[in-house]
Amino acid sequence: MLAPPVFESSDFSRGALHVVEQLQDEGFDAYVVGGAVRDLLLGKRPKDFDVATNATPDQIKQCFRNARIIGRRFQIVHVRVAGEIIEVTTFRRGHDVARSEQDARASQSGRLLRDNVYGSLEEDARRRDLTINALYYDTSSNQFIDQLGGQADVIDRIIRIIGDPAERYREDPVRMLRVVRFAARLQFDLESDTESAIASVRTLLRDIPPARLFDEWLKLFMNGSSAPTFRLLRHYELLAPLMGETASFAIEGEPALELQALALTNTDRRVADGRPVTPAFLLAALYWPAVQACAEQLTASGESPLQAMHSAGQQIVQQACQQLAIPKRFSLAMRDIWDLQPRLERMQQKKIKDHLAHRWFRASFDLRLLREQTHSLGDDCSAFWTDQQKRYPELVGSARARQEERGERPPRRRRRNRDS
Ligand code: ATP
Ligand code: MG
């Protein structure tokens, strides 16, 4: 028997402590749950705190001044406390019976359509995805609840699906991606049934709405562990179901794969250093091998290099979006980054200022550098553009800002929360 851990109040955020206390004062059960408890067991500072309770969303809302019910797949409540947002969920049961014939037909593959039926803490634990995520901690009494062996799995560094893995993947195929995400991020191993079941159900990911896959893509690739995540996705043959066939367009050991790997490690390094990262650059690099191959074909059939790159970009984005709903602002940027590749290569004097001022110049230049590093291209082009950037530093990426100044383009709007 493992001794239950005891955490300090200072291990939790003020918001999390407040939300648990307030719910308990109103007579409800409330626990910090999931990733935060797992991270504390690992000695890490959690990045955010989730709370689980037996209060319903309406009851939760009544306990707090600043609470909002949100949710697409199921209702959750966001409670804002001193600038922090605590996600509060009601204990739920995993299974819901199909309520209409249409639902029944849609769920023939075993996919869960609704999981909004409330339940006990025991049921709530069992409907979660992984043992290491089914941990509860009462911050008032220091009670630790682990009914499914999550603590032992954290210690042994094991990712284990709760229940029958194939069945749980069929209910929600995105769990396969979550398994990979946690394995890569935490450097844990997959328990053998959790691992072996993937092969029989991986194609079900193709039925997941592309918008949900893109949300998951961001979590997989923008969290600082994109390089190991990409390796595991390839290993379990999940890359094509996630990003479409074109993204797996790179053969082991080829320069294309090296280029993808470098883009991923560069992105992870930026995240580790707290520098900004854009999904557009990484997406442009990951789909680059496919775009390049497509553009080469078009050039061979007589199109000019610029036109070929433009059409190839259009085709690849269109193919990718059948699987992954890449938002327009990113796909347009990807295409700009690709379009600039043959243009940079020309090193035309009269275009220097235009190219430097292009909003995506830096990202294009970075892709060019990766291509030179991996495709034995020689570095004349990047040396040329390095000089130009030194010559006109104020121009780099300035076009958009100037257009905004001149009123030719509305100023950038702040992005709205997609859940609102
Ligand atoms: P992170 O540190 O990435 O936030 P997390 O464990 O908190 O990790 P979330 O994606 O925030 O992960 O999800 C919160 C909790 O909800 C998880 O701990 C898990 O128990 C549960 N959960 C999320 N998605 C699923 C799913 N698809 N199936 C079952 N349970 C899920
Ligand atoms: Mg979380």
Side-chain angles (χ1 to χ4, degrees):
M1 247 326 245
L2 289 164
V6 176
F7 301 121
E8 307 285 327
S9 298
S10 57
D11 291 329
F12 299 91
S13 68
R14 271 179 48 208
L17 295 172
H18 172 75
V19 169
V20 168
E21 261 169 44
Q22 181 74 17
L23 285 163
Q24 291 176 346
D25 284 351
E26 298 291 332
F28 299 109
D29 299 337
Y31 301 85
V32 171
V33 67
V37 185
R38 175 198 72 216
D39 288 348
L40 286 174
L41 275 181
L42 285 166
K44 293 189 199 175
R45 177 92 195 153
K47 68 173 167 47
D48 50 35
F49 291 87
D50 301 324
V51 168
T53 175
N54 61 353
T56 63
D58 285 327
Q59 289 171 328
I60 299 165
K61 200 167 177 312
Q62 277 162 21
C63 291
F64 301 96
R65 243 187 320 142
N66 207 338
R68 239 165 22 122
I69 299 183
I70 60 160
R72 281 175 278 184
R73 295 180 61 246
F74 39 76
Q75 287 196 322
I76 54 185
V77 184
H78 275 180
V79 179
R80 186 183 283 276
V81 191
E84 185 188 354
I85 290 182
I86 305 293
E87 204 165 283
V88 187
T89 49
T90 307
F91 294 148
R92 294 198 301 271
R93 271 195 280 140
H95 289 270
D96 189 9
V97 280
R99 287 176 201 169
S100 68
E101 268 186 40
Q102 196 187 4
D103 279 4
R105 276 200 302 279
S107 68
Q108 264 166 8
S109 67
R111 187 142 66 90
L112 213 57
L113 293 169
R114 296 198 188 89
D115 48 3
N116 221 0
V117 178
Y118 303 130
S120 62
L121 183 147
E122 290 70 24
E123 290 168 321
D124 190 70
R126 245 171 295 123
R127 64 96 193 162
R128 287 177 186 270
D129 51 355
L130 307 176
T131 56
I132 58 166
N133 285 345
L135 300 170
Y136 299 72
Y137 196 84
D138 177 346
T139 50
S140 311
S141 66
N142 286 325
Q143 185 193 11
F144 172 73
I145 302 181
D146 169 20
Q147 297 180 326
L148 301 162
Q151 186 186 9
D153 284 342
V154 170
I155 291 168
D156 298 337
R157 307 183 77 81
I158 287 177
I159 302 289
R160 186 194 310 269
I161 283 271
I162 296 166
D164 176 62
E167 201 176 299
R168 300 302 309 282
Y169 291 145
R170 250 181 255 121
E171 281 173 7
D172 181 6
V174 169
R175 287 177 187 145
M176 289 182 269
L177 301 176
R178 292 179 55 86
V179 160
V180 164
R181 170 152 68 91
F182 289 116
R185 190 170 100 198
L186 303 172
Q187 295 175 290
F188 280 22
D189 292 324
L190 270 59
E191 175 270 332
S192 71
D193 291 341
T194 298
E195 179 174 40
S196 61
I198 293 177
S200 61
V201 286
R202 63 165 77 88
T203 53
L204 295 179
L205 269 176
R206 295 185 201 277
D207 302 331
I208 298 298
R212 184 162 177 228
L213 284 185
F214 189 74
D215 283 349
E216 206 55 38
W217 187 92
L218 289 175
K219 293 185 194 167
L220 285 159
F221 285 93
M222 293 287 121
N223 72 4
S225 311
S226 71
T229 299
F230 189 77
R231 275 197 295 277
L232 282 185
L233 288 172
R234 278 176 60 86
H235 178 75
Y236 292 115
E237 297 177 39
L238 292 168
L239 197 59
L242 174 66
M243 296 185 67
E245 296 295 337
T246 50
S248 358
F249 195 97
I251 301 159
E252 207 75 46
E254 277 203 349
L257 197 60
E258 263 175 62
L259 181 142
Q260 290 174 324
L262 268 182
L264 293 159
T265 45
N266 288 356
T267 301
D268 291 345
R269 204 171 308 127
R270 291 184 72 96
V271 173
D273 296 346
R275 285 182 290 161
V277 286
T278 164
F281 173 72
L282 189 54
L283 286 163
L286 293 180
Y287 287 105
W288 170 254
V291 175
Q292 190 185 27
C294 183
E296 272 169 16
Q297 261 179 16
L298 294 171
T299 321
S301 66
E303 283 194 33
S304 75
L306 297 194
Q307 186 53 44
M309 185 58 72
H310 192 70
S311 315
Q314 199 169 10
Q315 280 181 35
I316 296 302
V317 161
Q318 200 187 13
Q319 284 171 27
C321 284
Q322 287 171 6
Q323 201 61 31
L324 199 62
I326 302 171
K328 260 254 147 50
R329 65 180 186 283
F330 297 140
S331 63
L332 290 175
M334 290 157 68
R335 292 180 54 194
D336 280 352
I337 293 169
W338 296 330
D339 278 350
L340 273 169
Q341 295 304 305
R343 293 175 203 273
L344 295 187
E345 208 163 330
R346 290 184 164 189
M347 300 181 255
Q348 279 179 308
Q349 288 295 331
K350 62 176 185 201
K351 299 277 184 181
I352 289 174
K353 290 186 178 176
D354 278 356
H355 292 339
L356 283 178
H358 193 287
R359 177 158 182 229
W360 292 104
F361 170 81
R362 273 304 310 195
S364 296
F365 176 73
D366 287 346
L367 179 59
R368 173 71 204 184
L369 283 175
L370 291 185
R371 292 175 56 207
E372 289 182 3
Q373 278 172 279
T374 53
H375 285 68
S376 35
L377 286 178
D379 62 2
D380 292 358
C381 176
S382 64
F384 175 85
W385 288 104
T386 304
D387 286 347
Q388 302 310 322
Q389 289 178 77
K390 284 189 193 139
R391 217 166 126 201
Y392 305 110
E394 75 290 351
L395 273 184
V396 176
S398 64
R400 182 167 183 125
R402 291 227 195 130
Q403 283 173 331
E404 282 177 11
E405 259 170 37
R406 291 200 299 261
E408 288 169 14
R409 193 194 269 272
R412 252 175 267 188
R413 274 182 308 163
R414 284 184 49 201
R415 223 182 295 151
R416 282 216 321 267
N417 184 342
R418 294 180 63 174
D419 286 330
S420 58

